[in-house]
Amino acid sequence: MAQTLAASSALPDLMPDRPGLLPMTIFLVLALIPAVAWFGPESYLLGLFTRVMVFAIAAMALDFICGYGGLVSFGHAAFVGIGAYAVGILGAHGITDMLVSLPTALLASAIFAYLTGTVCLRTKSVYFIMITLAFGQMAYFIAGSLAPYGGDDGLTIRLRSTLLGFPFLQNDRTLYYFVLLCLLLSYLVFRAILYSRFGRVFRGARENPTRMATLGFDVFRFQRVGYVIAGAVGGLAGFLLANATEFVSPAYMSWQRSGELIIMVLFGGIGSLHGAIVGAAGYLLIEEILGGITEQWKLIFGPLLVLVVLFARGGLLGLAGTIRGRLSRD
Amino acid sequence: MSTGLFVVQILNGLQFGVLLFLIAAGLTLVFGVMDCINLAHGVQYMLGAYLAVAFYALTGNFLIALVLALAAALVFGLLLEFVVFRHLYDRDHLEQVIATFGIIIFLNQAVKTVWGAAPLTLPIPEIFSGSIVLMPGLLYPVWRLVIIASGLAVAMLLYVLVSRTRVGMLVRAGATNARMVSALGVDIRRLFMILFGFGTMLAAFAGAMIAPILSVEPGMGDTVLILAFVVIVIGGIGSIRGAFLAALLIGLVDTLGRSFAIDILRLVMPPSPARTVGPAIASMLIYVLMALVLYFRPAGLFPARGR
Amino acid sequence: MKTSKLFVTVAAMALFGISGQAQAQEKLRIGVIATLSGPPAVLGQQLRNGVQLAVKDLGGKLGGREVEVIVQDDELKPDVAVSRAKALIERDKVDFVIGPIFSNILQAIFRPVTDAGVILISPNAGTSNFAGKECNANFFVTSYQNDQAFGVAGKYAQDAGLKKIFLIAPNYQAGRDALAGFKSFYKGEVADEVYVPLGQLDYSAELAKIAAASPGAIYVFLPGGMGINFVKQFRQAGLADKTVFLSAFTVDESTLPAQQDAAVGFFGGANWAPNLDNPQNKKFVAGYEKEFGAVPATYAFQSYDAVLLIDGALKLTKGNVADKDALRAALKKADFTSLRGGFKFNTNNYPIQDFYLVKVAKRGDGKFQTEIDKKVFTNFADPHAKDCPMK
């Protein structure tokens, strides 16, 4: 059986002058949230949406390799964890300056992606899924055995990352906007990559690797570069997550977390960058709202996932589009 | 460390291997032959254990409880196939992963709602509750021998079923090219449905058989799930023989690793760190093994022909 | 589509905002954060049940004020726990947070809760850092400091002259603490010290090692499902007859329903047992069994005590929670009748209490419980208090 991914949102090959209306609206809404949060439980809402954005960054990176590159990674949470631990470990030694910790987080994740990608990318389809899972688990166990850094209990981060000694991320609102900025930058960078020559080869490798190879492209190299980029952005998400929760633990890297990231990608529609943001928001908000209503919320959530897969091709956005289409027809 | 202990550990490793195969058996069918990623395999295993406990509470007889549990699991499997899985065969792996992940979430919560969160237990049936002396001071429960025997029986059954019967041939053909097979007049849908039900039954059988030596609790299938997938991937998807050999290999590596990793490490480092690094390595061993196998053989040890 | 996204966001925030506003200002609000999903859910449920039973027994009023209990699940995920804790503090405006079960969750929520000036009472997790250098005036513990529970069996083994003890625990921080805690009191010969990977199912390899070592006793720390599996297989391997079984958190009322006869005669170390002989405890155990149909474990009694602690303190401050200094002083006095008998706080807000060797027994009604065997520590203070700057 051919395993081509479902053609969700079709991508035009020529880059439009500016991002579409929907992505712009999403960023606008995100920018306005602190203003609205001011009227309610501020720290809680800011914290919630900061987390949404952090996972959106990780989900975008996953969507890049998964939705566009056809590489379904079940170990993506490892990159997030590595980025987070970079902050935690440096912090435990008194180093909080982000000019040190951020590049470290990016570099560590990128190296891990490079090394594991070299092994993983030799395999295909479900073998790839399993081997990425294996490496994710290895990272999880290693983190758990780091006794001086909390081991299984995790590590508290005393001070959020500073910039040249200035603790500007301590304020929740500043952190929020910083994360939003990172999200925007990641979005624009991914967009640029996808429409570049590299991006077209990368995407082409998903559709038909043989064709790419006959055209003279070293598919393996292209995929590995893409994998490293996704890993580094995952590390960025981890850096931000550590700062947002002021805590780091091996739980950030479990295979269940990798599964959740995959779900976020699906919720937003595979192969859609801004969809990843919607997917992350959808998943975390559903978890938060449903969880507040009943303890048995998973009885609803499980079947919901199944339904989304079965009927909502293109995730929640696609579903919204279908509903809109149906309504406008009547 | 004596030779006696070493031999016992090898036996333990082989036994664990057969246990792993028993757990993974149902998955080799659904995943291996029907090419559908079934993450719900773990919860099907869990359900088998819970159903066995429930029917045992009703009837007080293990055998009857087992039969009833298998019947209920079969019905459940058929239902699941009809409602969810038959729509998944044509989808890509990613969507199969998520849909079956959703089933895991649902069932883990469901068993907690129905049976409560506290762990349950199932006693070993009377006739098998004896033990044999394995080594001075160490008894080996007869029930474990029964589990090994059932694991071997299931291996035989599957091998014969898939490679030697007409049904098995149809299923393999259907997995490769469903349209062609149905064009030949075979009701491929019904075949897959029955097969899936059978796979569920195998998972449930493993759960029920192993329940007397393990805790029955929500989420018990999650660890087992990863192990089952590792077995199949190392063995090569689609190969029953591969899965069996991989299971034995993993059982041996894991058990011997846990038993002797520390002793080996103590040759190169002081005892105190060796004691904690050893188990850390031991827990990663099966993943390292899988990575190694896939590096040299990207399609597993014994990939089924033509895949 | 853009409108639907906007709508969802606004609706979500309205939901959050409104639920905060609608509550009456008079009621006292207590937040409970515990692990209510996954395999350890049974522990979180006991914690929650203990709180709810205490509130019910006190007639729904603490220190004369009506109380409302809001329960949140931490899902054993530290970042989710932080979010839920913040929801309790900011959206639900709780005055107290009772919880959590697990140490890593405590690590995560400690600062968000205490920095906000809310009193955090842990009815289970009691890590050493918060008993020592990082102690906090807003943090109280009604359980124990983890090391203490691990020391009970060690002291007993040392005093009883047990020889050649085999140690086994999972390979994570608590496991290492457990064996270190045991060895801090037991100075005899250790047959072997084995750490197993977390979540291990089959212990044949370890059981073979134990049989080969032929120890006089074995000390086990294998919580939850791991303990159930080990105990069953240990008994099935015939090792129970010749080896004294000492443990911590391995054979308790949360695992005994699954271990049943396999665990009878095994020892544990705890600060309480259901058969502890005092009137308030007898009433509690009977009430718990009637209400929830299960024998309570330490998780339940400690959270019950947490509520009693709050009640005692509020009686002293006449229901006032606004004056934080007075509230903290009142809490520190620990003016309540604990289910365990005597109760006193150390300078670091961890309890000074008695510890017992407990033994698993089968009751007349077929249920299983731990029973007091002998007292091992009297007024035992944890070793980290000296590092705490609070006096």
Side-chain angles (χ1 to χ4, degrees):
Chain A
M1 265 182 234
Q3 293 302 327
T4 49
L5 282 174
S8 35
S9 36
L11 293 159
D13 265 85
L14 288 166
M15 179 158 88
D17 293 329
R18 57 168 66 132
L21 201 52
L22 182 55
M24 288 218 298
T25 320
I26 293 175
F27 280 107
L28 191 66
V29 170
L30 286 174
L32 289 176
I33 286 193
V36 184
W38 195 73
F39 294 101
E42 191 180 18
S43 177
Y44 164 63
L45 283 177
L46 280 181
L48 182 63
F49 282 95
T50 307
R51 234 167 26 107
V52 164
M53 290 194 293
V54 167
F55 281 105
I57 295 176
M60 259 200 306
L62 182 60
D63 203 11
F64 175 66
I65 47 170
C66 179
Y68 295 95
L71 305 165
V72 180
S73 166
F74 217 131
H76 197 67
F79 303 121
V80 177
I82 290 173
Y85 264 94
V87 177
I89 293 177
L90 286 175
H93 291 282
I95 304 171
T96 57
D97 203 309
M98 71 163 67
L99 291 176
V100 178
S101 51
L102 182 54
T104 312
L106 294 175
L107 200 62
S109 320
I111 293 177
F112 186 74
Y114 184 83
L115 294 173
T116 57
T118 308
V119 179
C120 300
L121 288 166
R122 287 165 58 99
T123 63
K124 292 191 220 329
S125 80
V126 76
Y127 296 100
F128 181 79
I129 299 178
M130 289 306 296
I131 196 165
T132 49
L133 171 72
F135 281 117
Q137 287 294 87
M138 283 193 242
Y140 172 73
F141 285 121
I142 292 176
S145 60
L146 293 173
Y149 302 116
D152 210 76
D153 281 347
L155 194 59
T156 310
I157 292 173
R158 237 150 284 296
L159 196 62
R160 286 184 178 156
S161 294
T162 57
L163 184 62
L164 297 169
F166 196 58
F168 84 110
L169 287 182
Q170 275 313 113
N171 183 305
D172 284 344
R173 227 174 294 141
T174 327
L175 177 70
Y176 183 92
Y177 281 115
F178 183 70
V179 176
L180 179 58
L181 184 66
C182 291
L183 179 66
L184 185 62
L185 285 175
S186 311
Y187 174 77
L188 293 172
V189 165
F190 274 128
R191 228 170 145 266
I193 294 178
L194 282 170
Y195 290 107
S196 70
R197 188 173 147 275
F198 169 84
R200 269 182 268 145
V201 177
F202 187 70
R203 283 191 282 151
R206 182 200 97 199
E207 310 266 350
N208 197 331
T210 325
R211 194 203 315 157
M212 287 295 121
T214 47
L215 285 172
F217 294 112
D218 186 345
V219 173
F220 175 77
R221 279 233 154 79
F222 273 85
Q223 287 184 325
R224 187 168 56 183
V225 171
Y227 195 71
V228 168
I229 296 174
V233 176
L236 170 66
F239 168 86
L240 295 170
L241 182 63
N243 274 298
T245 54
E246 294 172 293
F247 185 75
V248 62
S249 118
Y252 288 175
M253 310 200 217
S254 67
W255 68 270
Q256 286 95 338
R257 291 297 180 122
S258 293
E260 287 173 12
L261 286 173
I262 296 181
I263 294 177
M264 289 180 202
V265 166
L266 185 90
F267 259 11
I270 306 167
S272 160
L273 285 178
H274 58 271
I277 306 178
V278 174
Y283 182 88
L284 288 173
L285 290 177
I286 290 178
E287 185 186 55
E288 198 68 27
I289 297 177
L290 272 187
I293 295 179
T294 164
E295 211 179 285
Q296 321 276 31
W297 63 281
K298 289 182 177 162
L299 282 179
I300 307 172
F301 189 67
L304 180 69
L305 273 184
V306 178
L307 288 174
V308 168
V309 168
L310 290 184
F311 300 113
R313 319 252 338 221
L316 295 175
L317 280 186
L319 189 66
T322 320
I323 294 177
R324 195 160 178 259
R326 289 254 177 88
L327 286 175
S328 63
R329 259 211 304 261
D330 296 334
Chain B
M1 190 234 307
S2 63
T3 10
L5 181 62
F6 188 67
V7 170
V8 167
Q9 298 296 36
I10 292 191
L11 286 174
N12 280 331
L14 291 173
Q15 171 249 213
F16 185 49
V18 176
L19 199 91
L20 283 178
F21 178 77
L22 184 61
I23 293 172
L27 194 59
T28 61
L29 215 51
V30 173
F31 181 32
V33 180
M34 290 155 66
D35 198 27
C36 180
I37 295 191
N38 179 20
L39 290 186
H41 181 76
V43 293
Q44 289 168 331
Y45 160 88
M46 174 181 73
L47 195 62
Y50 269 99
L51 287 172
V53 170
F55 286 121
Y56 184 80
L58 277 177
T59 63
N61 180 309
F62 185 87
L63 193 59
I64 299 180
L66 181 66
V67 170
L68 287 175
L70 290 180
L74 181 65
V75 169
F76 177 74
L78 293 174
L79 201 69
L80 199 60
E81 202 276 346
F82 185 74
V83 173
V84 179
F85 276 85
R86 72 171 42 181
H87 307 285
L88 288 180
Y89 300 133
D90 293 330
R91 302 294 196 92
D92 58 79
H93 286 310
L94 177 63
E95 295 175 299
Q96 291 173 348
V97 163
I98 299 183
T100 50
F101 201 82
I103 298 176
I104 295 180
I105 294 176
F106 174 73
L107 266 181
N108 270 332
Q109 185 65 41
V111 298
K112 210 167 7 136
T113 312
V114 173
W115 281 285
L120 301 174
T121 186
L122 191 62
I124 296 180
E126 275 300 319
I127 21 163
F128 293 119
S129 57
S131 9
I132 56 170
V133 181
L134 195 62
M135 149 181 148
L138 185 65
L139 294 179
Y140 199 72
V142 170
W143 184 248
R144 281 190 184 254
L145 294 174
V146 174
I147 293 178
I148 294 177
S150 12
L152 293 172
V154 167
M156 276 273 82
L157 175 71
L158 276 185
Y159 183 69
V160 165
L161 184 73
V162 173
S163 342
R164 299 259 183 268
T165 64
R166 194 157 169 276
V167 174
M169 179 199 70
L170 284 174
V171 166
R172 275 181 295 140
T176 326
N177 196 334
R179 235 158 273 137
M180 187 58 79
V181 175
S182 63
L184 291 170
V186 178
D187 188 346
I188 203 81
R189 293 199 96 124
R190 218 178 51 164
L191 191 61
F192 272 22
M193 182 165 102
I194 295 173
L195 209 73
F196 186 82
F198 187 61
T200 309
M201 223 168 65
L202 280 176
F205 178 68
M209 290 300 281
I210 299 175
I213 59 169
L214 291 183
S215 152
V216 178
E217 54 185 20
M220 67 187 269
D222 295 351
T223 337
V224 151
L225 177 70
I226 304 267
L227 287 174
F229 268 97
V230 170
V231 165
I232 296 184
V233 168
I234 291 184
I237 299 171
S239 167
I240 308 285
R241 176 179 45 138
F244 187 73
L245 291 169
L248 290 181
L249 180 66
I250 293 173
L252 277 172
V253 167
D254 186 67
T255 306
L256 292 176
R258 272 186 288 133
S259 328
F260 302 117
I262 303 172
D263 297 319
I264 296 173
L265 279 176
R266 268 208 271 245
L267 296 172
V268 296
M269 58 168 80
S272 181
R275 263 188 224 115
T276 49
V277 172
I281 294 182
S283 56
M284 292 201 296
L285 265 179
I286 60 168
Y287 298 108
V288 173
L289 183 67
M290 181 162 78
L292 277 172
V293 168
L294 287 181
Y295 185 72
F296 291 109
R297 286 265 220 280
L301 289 174
F302 303 100
R305 278 173 291 278
R307 204 72 63 110
Chain C
M1 276 177 290
K2 54 185 177 193
T3 39
S4 62
K5 160 80 179 173
L6 199 63
F7 174 69
V8 166
T9 319
V10 171
M13 286 170 33
L15 212 78
F16 294 135
I18 286 175
S19 58
Q21 249 54 317
Q23 281 149 15
Q25 292 302 92
E26 304 299 336
K27 271 192 185 178
L28 188 72
R29 271 178 296 274
I30 296 184
V32 171
I33 188 154
T35 308
L36 294 166
S37 35
V42 62
L43 306 179
Q45 285 182 348
Q46 287 240 352
L47 194 162
R48 181 197 54 196
N49 294 347
V51 171
Q52 287 174 339
L53 185 64
V55 169
K56 177 162 168 270
D57 284 352
L58 289 172
K61 285 192 184 188
L62 298 187
R65 284 184 66 177
E66 274 218 34
V67 68
E68 184 187 341
V69 175
I70 303 157
V71 179
Q72 288 281 14
D73 181 5
D74 61 37
E75 299 186 28
L76 202 51
K77 289 184 193 165
D79 48 333
V80 171
V82 168
S83 180
R84 300 281 153 88
K86 285 197 179 162
L88 284 173
I89 295 172
E90 304 202 358
R91 183 189 65 191
D92 305 319
K93 305 213 191 320
V94 298
D95 303 293
F96 299 90
V97 172
I98 299 182
I101 296 274
F102 289 99
S103 305
N104 60 348
I105 304 294
L106 179 63
Q107 280 286 134
I109 66 172
F110 188 86
R111 278 192 55 209
V113 177
T114 53
D115 283 356
V118 173
I119 305 287
L120 176 64
I121 304 178
S122 171
N124 195 61
T127 50
S128 52
N129 55 338
F130 298 135
K133 283 198 289 276
E134 299 174 48
C135 63
N136 189 300
N138 284 330
F139 180 61
F140 295 85
V141 171
T142 56
S143 48
Y144 38 73
Q145 202 277 302
N146 294 342
D147 295 356
Q148 294 178 298
F150 299 135
V152 175
K155 178 111 191 328
Y156 169 74
Q158 179 68 12
D159 292 345
L162 292 176
K163 305 238 186 302
K164 218 174 162 208
I165 305 193
F166 193 100
L167 310 179
I168 183 166
N171 191 30
Y172 72 134
Q173 197 55 46
R176 290 186 279 271
D177 288 347
L179 300 189
F182 180 84
K183 286 190 295 183
S184 66
F185 286 97
Y186 173 74
K187 301 299 173 197
E189 186 197 344
V190 169
D192 203 351
E193 194 176 327
V194 172
Y195 294 98
V196 296
L198 263 181
Q200 182 165 301
L201 303 170
D202 188 357
Y203 293 91
S204 324
E206 287 75 23
L207 293 172
K209 269 191 166 172
I210 295 173
S214 237
I218 173 172
Y219 176 66
V220 181
F221 167 63
L222 287 171
M226 295 183 78
I228 296 173
N229 298 343
F230 184 80
V231 163
K232 280 177 117 170
Q233 294 168 24
F234 185 79
R235 177 72 71 170
Q236 288 164 357
L239 291 167
D241 304 320
K242 59 183 78 70
T243 330
V244 176
F245 188 104
L246 302 171
S247 72
F249 309 113
T250 307
V251 288
D252 68 23
E253 288 73 20
S254 69
T255 57
L256 285 176
Q259 291 159 334
Q260 300 204 335
D261 291 299
V264 172
F266 288 0
F267 293 103
N271 56 349
W272 170 92
N275 78 334
L276 187 62
D277 196 2
N278 64 55
Q280 61 269 20
N281 190 45
K282 280 186 154 52
K283 177 163 168 277
F284 161 71
V285 175
Y288 189 94
E289 294 194 24
K290 180 149 170 270
E291 184 89 17
F292 302 109
V295 185
T298 52
Y299 316 98
F301 110 82
Q302 281 156 183
S303 61
Y304 192 98
D305 259 7
V307 175
L308 294 182
L309 169 69
I310 297 176
D311 180 52
L314 287 180
K315 286 203 175 84
L316 287 177
T317 66
K318 309 229 188 322
N320 187 343
V321 295
D323 184 352
K324 293 292 178 192
D325 288 328
L327 181 61
R328 282 192 282 264
L331 283 166
K332 206 154 174 133
K333 282 208 178 68
D335 188 9
F336 70 102
T337 317
S338 165
L339 297 177
R340 70 198 87 180
F343 188 98
K344 190 164 86 204
F345 276 128
N346 200 343
T347 52
N348 57 4
N349 293 346
Y350 278 59
I352 296 177
Q353 61 193 319
D354 301 335
F355 283 84
Y356 311 91
L357 186 74
V358 296
K359 194 173 185 185
V360 176
K362 186 170 184 172
R363 297 197 320 201
D365 63 353
K367 291 215 170 105
F368 296 84
Q369 68 179 21
T370 54
E371 296 180 347
I372 308 269
D373 194 79
K374 57 156 50 75
K375 195 187 282 202
V376 175
F377 288 118
T378 313
N379 290 331
F380 187 23
D382 72 88
H384 302 281
K386 57 176 166 22
D387 297 326
C388 170
M390 292 197 301
K391 287 298 158 244

